[in-house]
Amino acid sequence: MKMLSVLLITTGLMIVACENRITDSSNTEAELMQLLDEDEALAFDGLNDGGAVDIEYEEGLETDGAAKTMIDTLWPKQDDYRIRFGRRITNVETLVDFDIDEDNGVATADVNRTINGEFIVVALDTAYTVVDSFVKPFESVFTRKVRFVRDDGGESSAERKRWRVDAFTIGAGGAGSKVAITQIRVFTRNDSIADYTFTADQVGDLFITRDSIPTFYAWQPIRVEVTVENAGPEFPYLSGEGVMQHYGRNRRYKARKIMYDNGRWGDATANDNVFTRVWRVHGPGIGRQQRVFRSFFDVIDFGTLYAEEESVNTAVWVLPYRSVRP
């Protein structure tokens, strides 16, 4: 059994651990690192907003309606100011610890990403003139485990042994310590029985196999519930935090949508820290029968959003999903 740590540092707006393709498959660590970099279910690009943007947006995804939706959110209890906000990621440091069992053809990777950037908030008046803004630096740490298995190429010595990603855990992380996600449930066919349930005690231990990635038909209506905790002190507005769902593939093909805890729009009870969104799954893309995407469930403490002097407190879970054309 072989242990190895790999450290990669990336600067810029795109989260990419390595861009160089590796041709020597006899180098097991290099081959596994390449698989991590190229796997569409494990990529981390999608949380980066590139700066302050409308609270809801949709860009590049195959939808059956308007291609792009933009609205703003209001400052608490004010009708004459609106805000835009977002993350601008400037640096990503990725540390991967490999545990490789060559004899049995099994390997695991502990993937730790430290993300540095700026959380940007801009206040606009009704004429869309900037009246206030602030920028907060943040550092977020995300962890995930990935399991690999080796596929023997065959009896011919010319056919090399290759590895493949077999399973992975939920990606989880955030900044600060005030807010946390405790559960995510997804309903597709019944309002009382969840098709998929993920809980906080499963993070880091529950491996999701490639075949068991949550899969939805394009245009299928689904309901997602995210249960959160806020250790306080809470900002004195609603339940003290907001939840958004980022989904897509990268900054060119993604969306950010509000989840609700107001007792309306699919949500059962107002201010109970269970945030709900009902949405129709987008298509896999023109010319494709199916494709894997990523969803980031993002909890933001309202002090982060509305109080300039407060630090950034967020919690994020990362889950892949598959869109299949009916």
Side-chain angles (χ1 to χ4, degrees), residues 50 55 73 133 143-144 172 202 251 293:
I55 191 170
T73 187
S133 65
T143 60
R144 160 178 270 158
Q202 296 174 325
R251 187 61 182 85
F293 298 84

Side-chain angles (χ1 to χ4, degrees), residues 75-253:
W75 287 97
K77 301 180 182 179
Q78 296 290 331
D79 293 332
D80 52 350
Y81 291 99
R82 301 174 182 271
I83 67 169
R84 292 176 177 171
F85 71 93
R87 295 175 177 87
R88 177 185 295 133
I89 294 172
T90 57
N91 185 74
V92 180
E93 182 177 295
T94 303
L95 177 64
V96 184
D97 290 321
F98 288 107
D99 185 355
I100 303 171
D101 186 346
E102 292 277 6
D103 293 336
N104 294 305
V106 178
T108 58
D110 287 324
V111 184
N112 296 271
R113 286 187 173 94
T114 301
I115 298 173
N116 296 97
E118 299 172 328
F119 191 89
I120 304 168
V121 179
V122 177
L124 308 170
D125 62 17
T126 54
Y128 287 87
T129 300
V130 175
V131 296
D132 196 7
S133 65
F134 54 82
V135 177
K136 301 180 181 183
F138 72 87
E139 179 178 279
S140 296
V141 179
F142 291 87
T143 60
R144 160 178 270 158
K145 294 179 182 177
V146 180
R147 185 174 68 213
F148 307 84
V149 296
R150 189 178 58 214
D151 289 328
D152 291 340
E155 297 180 358
S156 171
S157 60
E159 295 177 304
R160 299 175 297 180
K161 296 179 180 179
R162 301 291 296 177
W163 294 80
R164 61 179 174 84
V165 174
D166 174 60
F168 37 81
T169 64
I170 297 168
S177 58
K178 286 180 64 176
V179 293
I181 298 174
T182 61
Q183 180 176 260
I184 293 177
R185 297 199 299 170
V186 182
F187 302 80
T188 63
R189 295 166 297 187
N190 188 297
D191 286 341
S192 60
I193 301 175
D195 293 79
Y196 303 97
T197 299
F198 304 98
T199 58
D201 59 356
Q202 296 174 325
V203 173
D205 295 315
L206 175 67
F207 277 92
I208 303 170
T209 65
R210 179 75 63 185
D211 293 339
S212 62
I213 292 175
T215 299
F216 313 109
Y217 286 114
W219 331 130
Q220 176 184 11
I222 67 173
R223 189 177 90 249
V224 184
E225 293 181 354
V226 177
T227 304
V228 307
E229 291 180 347
N230 193 326
E234 296 182 5
F235 190 86
Y237 180 59
L238 301 178
S239 59
E241 66 284 316
V243 179
M244 274 148 291
Q245 181 186 7
H246 305 244
Y247 56 90
R249 292 181 58 81
N250 51 48
R251 187 61 182 85
R252 293 176 56 198
Y253 302 97

